[in-house]
Amino acid sequence: MTTNISDLLRVEGLTQTFKSGTGIVKAVDNISFSVYEGETFGLVGESGCGKSTTGRTIIQLYKPAAGSIFFDGVNLSGLRGKKNWLQFRRDVQMIYQDPYASLNPRNKIKDILGEGIDVHKLAKGAKNRNRQVAELLETVGLNPDHANRYPHELSGGQRQRVGIARALSVQPRLIICDEPISALDVSIQAQIVNLLKKLQQEKRLTLLFIAHDLSMVKYISDRIAVMYRGKIVELGDARKIYHSPLHPYTESLLSCIPYPDPDLEKNRRRIIYHHHEEASGSLHQIFPDHYVYCRPSDVAFYQQKGASKEAGGLDLVSITPTNTGILEGVVE
Amino acid sequence: MSESLLDIRNLNVSFQTFAGTVNAVRGVSLTLEKGETLALVGESGSGKSVTCRSVMGLLSKNATIEQGEILFRGSNLLAKSDKEMQRIRGKEISMIFQNPMTALNPTMTIGKQVAEPLRLHQKFSRTAARRQAQELLELVGIPSSTKRLNDYPHQFSGGQRQRIVTAIALACGPEILIADEPTTALDVTIQAQILELLKELRHTTSIIFITHDLGVVANVADRVAVMYGGRIVEIGKVEEIFYNPQHPYTWGLLRSMPTLDDKDGELYAIPGSPPDLLSPAPGDLFATRNEYALQVDAHYEPPLFQVSPTHYAATWLLDDRAPSVIVPEAIAARRQYYRQRQTGLTAKEGLL
Ligand SMILES: Nc1ncnc2c1ncn2[C@@H]1O[C@H](COP(=O)(O)OP(=O)(O)O)[C@@H](O)[C@H]1O
Ligand SMILES: Nc1ncnc2c1ncn2[C@@H]1O[C@H](COP(=O)(O)OP(=O)(O)O)[C@@H](O)[C@H]1O
Ligand SMILES: [Mg+2]
Ligand SMILES: [Mg+2]
């Protein structure tokens, strides 16, 4: 397979399985996508669809059951040597959903932030290290005197800022954000999204932003992939995903976001998606850079659906290629 | 005015902690009318759960009710003995919590768990309770079969477990259901189903719905109380809170929500962090985060000013002496929609 020059990350046919009590769980099922240098790529889907497994496999916490991962053009299965691995561990950082569980409660914030600086020998002496810590705190909107506090002394939003500062401490190229806002109040979510967006622009970072619903993702993503049961069912430009979603699962996810508008909520219809296995399905290009998981024979249908949505014909109401099966009901 | 089903009057609750006294609820007054859904909104730590746990008589040992009354059908729940409260809990007032797993007993079949309150409160026979349990599970949308009654909680999905918890809470036909963030931990598609379920109940049950998500509030509520730092800062009908909000904190909450519209610019974020209730600063606790704060806010907490017979807000901006301010654009648009809506000139289709 070809690797585009602007691809910082390329995931190719990735499958990941786990042994469970009775058999094997296919957590990720043959997915492929690229994250371009400097963009924010949103990976969205409901709990259990395989988002975290994808993220963890990318950072090489697990070996893929099948498929390959390329970082900066290099196939990681062929990466050799301690120095190269250390560099990879520095280039790719992760931010977690539960900032509390991911910060050592016995360490002061300055030591949590200093750890990566030490491992990668990024500071010249203690004074320089302290200065870097102070700068990191300022970058994420915390006070320098937070350096001497412990994680439990901070609010949820402040802890997530520490998580972000820790990721930034080693000057990474790619940050995988695994539901960094899901555990936060809605009002604090906006703070963190804005902060990540600002940092991404200022530091020319590449972000893989994982979320379980689509509501906040549009504010930060350039492109979005929607996952369902281990598969990517739709991938495209963020605006396209929002304004002319094609796959019925994407439509369902969008229709279920409640908006702060009571009159609108009274009139909205929720679309319920019922799973329908497409034996011969795979990700097909419907429009340039817009892909949908379907059978080859459904491509024309989705092209037509997209065209009529663009023309403003269809709103939240969903239609499906088969008329039965995929979409069995619409409530309210 | 006729008597409210529930009438909380000037509730003040504090906690003794190692670090000192936390004044978690500071003078909350609200009513719940028969057949309505009242939403309690506010960020973490604003006192939503403590208010509701006070109603249930389920406060932790280090809590003190400093002041106030909670009248349920006219009689004060705070004056009742533990035994009397046990009879009321689960029978006349029930509560569902954020995490359904902790509310269910993992070692007991769900049939038994749903039947338990019926046996306890209604003295149902075993078979009658079991039959009723099956009906309740059907009501909340758990496909009922005798086999399913013998399943254990882990054999159900997260959304199904929340439905089961709801079935238990509804078992004795309570007059009031208190739902404390029942959908916060759920996926949006499951959340939509639970919200539908709660809306179907509204004819028979009055509901207090706690959440920090204004989208959810817009979907379920008839009335809304916005809490901040242990107080109610704005209360009114759902259309008054969403389309004619008066408190800068309510403005901030509304502005920080993702919207349907095209503009994918910057999201508004309320600056700063929630207030410290251990050593609260004098004056209005929101003042340090409030770009509309007046000098008076540094010294005195504002009282609730009346906006309409059903709408009140605790902001000095409503005082006669306050200067007029330019409200944020998004809020001005909401108010304009409100005025049009009031005149009946516009179809009630929402802001878009
Ligand atoms: N370490 C593991 N062992 C066994 N099963 C796992 C493990 N991690 C994840 N899974 C399973 O893989 C699927 C995908 O999980 P995950 O990637 O965590 O989903 P998401 O992050 O989208 O919620 C789920 O069915 C989950 O139970
Ligand atoms: N058992 C407790 N001991 C000490 N403080 C408590 C206790 N329960 C709640 N609080 C404090 O009371 C305040 C309000 O809490 P709560 O009602 O749970 O908020 P929320 O609005 O998130 O439901 C918080 O500051 C919280 O820390
Ligand atoms: Mg996950
Ligand atoms: Mg709470």
Side-chain angles (χ1 to χ4, degrees):
Chain A
M1 262 290 168
T2 55
T3 301
N4 203 313
I5 304 176
S6 62
D7 290 358
L8 183 61
L9 176 74
R10 170 84 194 145
V11 172
E12 190 67 60
L14 178 68
T15 295
Q16 192 56 284
T17 53
F18 295 107
K19 283 197 199 71
S20 87
T22 47
I24 282 180
V25 182
K26 218 178 216 183
V28 175
D29 189 359
N30 189 16
I31 64 170
S32 301
F33 62 93
S34 293
V35 180
Y36 306 147
E37 176 120 54
E39 81 166 337
T40 298
F41 186 90
L43 189 62
V44 180
E46 291 178 286
S47 44
C49 73
K51 306 179 299 292
S52 295
T53 303
T54 303
R56 292 193 194 118
T57 310
I58 291 168
I59 61 164
Q60 303 290 299
L61 222 56
Y62 317 125
K63 246 179 79 158
S68 316
I69 291 158
F70 298 85
F71 182 74
D72 206 12
V74 177
N75 188 338
L76 293 179
S77 69
L79 194 68
R80 299 280 181 275
K82 209 175 153 197
K83 200 168 142 249
N84 286 333
W85 276 108
L86 196 65
Q87 187 63 39
F88 176 75
R89 299 252 167 267
R90 181 179 163 187
D91 283 342
V92 184
Q93 292 296 310
M94 194 133 171
I95 300 171
Y96 300 89
Q97 172 174 357
D98 182 350
Y100 197 58
S102 68
L103 303 175
N104 186 339
R106 279 187 297 264
N107 282 356
K108 286 185 177 172
I109 304 302
K110 68 172 174 201
D111 296 318
I112 290 171
L113 297 184
E115 200 183 323
I117 296 176
D118 295 344
V119 168
H120 297 284
K121 303 193 174 62
L122 302 176
K124 302 174 207 73
K127 219 170 133 191
N128 179 259
R129 182 188 194 252
N130 285 342
R131 212 193 59 227
Q132 287 190 34
V133 167
E135 277 171 10
L136 283 165
L137 288 170
E138 200 192 320
T139 306
V140 298
L142 293 170
N143 295 322
D145 49 285
H146 280 113
N148 287 313
R149 304 243 200 123
Y150 290 93
H152 75 264
E153 297 176 90
L154 306 181
S155 71
Q158 288 172 330
R159 278 179 215 146
Q160 197 52 287
R161 288 172 192 271
V162 173
I164 294 169
R166 179 176 59 182
L168 292 175
S169 68
V170 295
Q171 299 144 26
R173 297 176 66 189
L174 171 70
I175 302 183
I176 299 174
C177 311
D178 191 358
E179 305 212 33
I181 57 173
S182 302
L184 303 175
D185 276 358
V186 179
S187 52
I188 306 299
Q189 290 183 2
Q191 288 186 359
I192 299 298
V193 164
N194 287 345
L195 173 64
L196 283 169
K197 210 166 144 175
K198 184 177 131 245
L199 293 172
Q200 195 254 346
Q201 280 157 8
E202 285 176 4
K203 303 195 180 292
R204 308 202 58 248
L205 287 164
T206 306
L207 302 183
L208 175 62
F209 190 95
I210 296 175
H212 68 249
D213 74 62
L214 279 158
S215 58
M216 280 285 179
V217 177
K218 79 163 161 192
Y219 289 93
I220 190 158
S221 307
D222 299 299
R223 291 186 307 137
I224 291 174
V226 177
M227 265 184 101
Y228 181 73
R229 295 199 184 187
K231 293 190 168 85
I232 289 177
V233 296
E234 186 161 0
L235 192 162
D237 178 80
R239 296 173 71 96
K240 281 278 182 335
I241 297 285
Y242 271 89
H243 298 296
S244 24
L246 295 176
H247 195 281
Y249 180 66
T250 313
E251 294 178 302
S252 168
L253 267 188
L254 282 168
S255 80
C256 287
I257 302 170
Y259 285 100
D261 188 345
D263 287 347
L264 176 79
E265 283 298 311
K266 276 198 192 73
N267 298 315
R268 267 179 79 202
R269 299 213 290 162
R270 307 277 183 226
I271 297 166
I272 296 180
Y273 175 67
H274 290 278
H275 183 54
H276 173 84
E277 189 56 50
E278 300 276 14
S280 53
S282 63
L283 209 56
H284 288 281
Q285 177 159 315
I286 308 297
F287 297 114
D289 303 319
H290 193 165
Y291 301 81
V292 171
Y293 185 89
C294 62
R295 296 172 300 194
S297 56
D298 291 333
V299 170
F301 166 82
Y302 280 116
Q303 284 171 337
Q304 210 185 345
K305 180 175 179 177
S308 48
K309 281 205 174 190
E310 288 290 312
L314 289 159
D315 190 19
L316 287 169
V317 184
S318 166
I319 50 168
T320 65
T322 45
N323 281 331
T324 54
I326 293 183
L327 191 80
E328 284 168 3
V330 170
V331 291
E332 180 104 324
Chain B
M1 214 176 104
S2 66
E3 188 179 84
S4 302
L5 183 58
L6 187 73
D7 188 352
I8 301 177
R9 295 183 178 171
N10 192 27
L11 183 67
N12 285 268
V13 183
S14 67
F15 290 93
Q16 292 309 320
T17 68
F18 288 119
T21 304
V22 176
N23 294 305
V25 172
R26 306 178 303 123
V28 162
S29 296
L30 51 83
T31 63
L32 181 69
E33 310 300 331
K34 211 165 165 42
E36 77 168 347
T37 298
L38 171 75
L40 270 189
V41 274
E43 55 200 348
S44 300
S46 57
K48 307 180 296 291
S49 296
V50 171
T51 300
C52 290
R53 286 178 171 275
S54 308
V55 175
M56 297 295 289
L58 286 176
L59 288 170
S60 56
K61 280 215 182 70
N62 61 336
T64 314
I65 298 194
E66 308 271 357
Q67 246 191 82
E69 288 183 309
I70 298 177
L71 304 178
F72 172 57
R73 287 207 234 95
S75 84
N76 188 4
L77 294 180
L78 297 181
K80 299 219 182 285
S81 67
D82 286 352
K83 216 164 160 202
E84 287 172 306
M85 277 313 290
Q86 259 167 33
R87 271 203 294 274
I88 291 171
R89 246 192 329 261
K91 181 158 183 259
E92 289 168 284
I93 308 177
S94 0
M95 189 155 173
I96 51 182
F97 300 89
Q98 176 171 346
N99 188 342
M101 213 44 197
T102 57
L104 291 170
N105 180 341
T107 63
M108 204 196 247
T109 66
I110 63 141
K112 274 223 174 74
Q113 295 191 56
V114 180
E116 195 173 62
L118 293 163
R119 310 252 301 145
L120 184 74
H121 291 298
Q122 319 272 62
K123 307 280 175 263
F124 272 44
S125 73
R126 188 177 304 223
T127 37
R130 203 175 156 81
R131 203 173 323 119
Q132 181 71 11
Q134 194 171 336
E135 262 174 47
L136 282 161
L137 287 169
E138 209 159 320
L139 175 79
V140 298
I142 299 285
S144 88
S145 71
T146 339
K147 190 169 150 277
R148 219 55 187 136
L149 288 177
N150 293 330
D151 281 347
Y152 291 88
H154 74 266
Q155 291 166 287
F156 294 87
S157 69
Q160 285 178 320
R161 282 181 215 137
Q162 195 58 285
R163 285 167 189 264
I164 294 165
V165 171
T166 309
I168 295 171
L170 294 175
C172 299
E175 295 217 40
I176 300 175
L177 177 67
I178 299 176
D180 191 351
E181 310 221 18
T183 61
T184 301
L186 303 177
D187 282 318
V188 279
T189 56
I190 312 296
Q191 166 170 281
Q193 293 169 28
I194 299 290
L195 296 180
E196 287 308 315
L197 170 63
L198 291 179
K199 279 191 280 188
E200 278 163 29
L201 298 175
R202 60 162 46 134
H203 311 291
T204 50
T205 315
S206 309
I207 300 175
I208 298 181
F209 192 108
I210 300 181
T211 176
H212 63 96
D213 185 338
L214 283 177
V216 170
V217 176
N219 185 278
V220 296
D222 301 306
R223 253 175 355 110
V224 185
V226 182
M227 288 192 74
Y228 186 83
R231 296 184 78 202
I232 289 175
V233 296
E234 185 155 9
I235 184 165
K237 292 187 182 171
V238 71
E239 62 270 21
E240 291 173 322
I241 299 298
F242 282 84
Y243 301 136
N244 192 28
Q246 301 295 321
H247 199 288
Y249 179 61
T250 314
W251 297 349
L253 287 179
L254 285 166
R255 290 167 73 199
S256 61
M257 289 292 297
T259 56
L260 258 176
D261 72 20
D262 254 326
K263 287 181 234 111
D264 38 16
E266 182 93 331
L267 260 176
Y268 176 80
I270 302 174
S273 319
D276 179 3
L277 296 174
L278 254 175
S279 45
D284 183 8
L285 292 186
F286 186 56
T288 52
R289 303 171 73 185
N290 183 2
E291 54 187 299
Y292 293 91
L294 303 171
Q295 247 166 23
V296 59
D297 283 302
H299 307 287
Y300 301 101
E301 286 204 285
L304 278 164
F305 290 89
Q306 181 167 4
V307 182
S308 84
T310 49
H311 186 185
Y312 295 81
T315 162
W316 286 115
L317 293 179
L318 292 172
D319 190 275
D320 290 337
R321 292 158 290 181
S324 65
V325 296
I326 297 167
V327 305
E329 202 181 321
I331 301 302
R334 285 176 179 269
R335 289 182 169 181
Q336 193 190 347
Y337 174 78
Y338 186 71
R339 283 192 297 273
Q340 286 170 352
R341 197 180 180 277
Q342 293 296 89
T343 59
L345 288 176
T346 185
K348 293 180 181 175
E349 287 177 344
L351 291 155
L352 284 171

